[in-house]
Amino acid sequence: MPRADLRSTAHIAHHPIHPMLVPVPIACFVGTLLTDITYWRTAELMWADFSAWLVTVGVILAYLAAIAGLIDLVGNRLVRAQAPAWPHAIGNLAVLVLATLNMLIHTRDGWTSVVPWGLILSAAVVLILLFTGWMGWSMVYRHGVGASVR
């Protein structure tokens, strides 16, 4: 059971917002990498279009998740004191910057929207997400940062 002093600050009806939002951008960013790789291998324009849509939806929802996460981080000093909190936050800030840049790169036409920078940025975002996801998991399951506000 989560500790009451490590509960989420940003919540709706006792459910924390941040963990509700993060799966969608993660899925979108992984999907962007997969569709970028597919476009790179096939040159079928449909895959570049999929990448552009996925990265855009991912960035929009990542900003919403970041706002909720920031509220949780600054709203509770005990959460900030947890060892994984700052690497998680800084890594996710890097994800936001790189994914936003990637979204802008994906506004180009055809091949230049993906190769090489779109593909590189997509891979970098997913690699950083592996680390920040591990840090987020550690905050909840090792350090007891609450997933419920009750």
Side-chain angles (χ1 to χ4, degrees):
M1 179 166 212
R3 291 175 37 191
D5 56 347
L6 288 174
R7 65 183 177 267
S8 176
T9 307
H11 56 85
I12 297 172
H14 304 291
H15 298 286
I17 297 170
H18 181 69
M20 284 192 285
L21 293 176
V22 294
V24 178
I26 291 170
C28 287
F29 295 147
V30 171
T32 302
L33 177 60
L34 295 174
T35 54
D36 280 352
I37 291 168
T38 304
Y39 176 71
W40 172 52
R41 302 306 297 158
T42 67
E44 179 64 43
L45 195 54
M46 169 188 67
W47 295 107
D49 291 342
F50 288 165
S51 291
W53 281 104
L54 283 166
V55 74
T56 301
V57 170
V59 164
I60 291 166
L61 289 172
Y63 274 101
L64 294 175
I67 291 167
L70 185 61
I71 291 169
D72 288 345
L73 184 69
V74 300
N76 189 335
R77 67 177 175 76
L78 297 173
V79 172
R80 286 191 305 274
Q82 302 305 310
W86 289 105
H88 178 71
I90 293 166
N92 283 324
L93 178 61
V95 164
L96 278 175
V97 169
L98 293 176
T100 301
L101 181 58
N102 197 18
M103 180 180 69
L104 296 173
I105 295 291
H106 276 83
T107 62
R108 297 177 181 171
D109 287 332
W111 190 257
T112 60
S113 70
V114 175
V115 180
W117 289 108
L119 189 56
I120 291 167
L121 289 169
S122 293
V125 165
V126 170
L127 287 173
I128 295 169
L129 281 174
L130 289 171
F131 171 75
T132 60
W134 176 43
M135 290 289 103
W137 178 91
S138 178
M139 287 176 63
V140 173
Y141 294 104
R142 288 192 180 152
H143 297 274
V145 175
S148 176
V149 295
R150 284 188 181 214

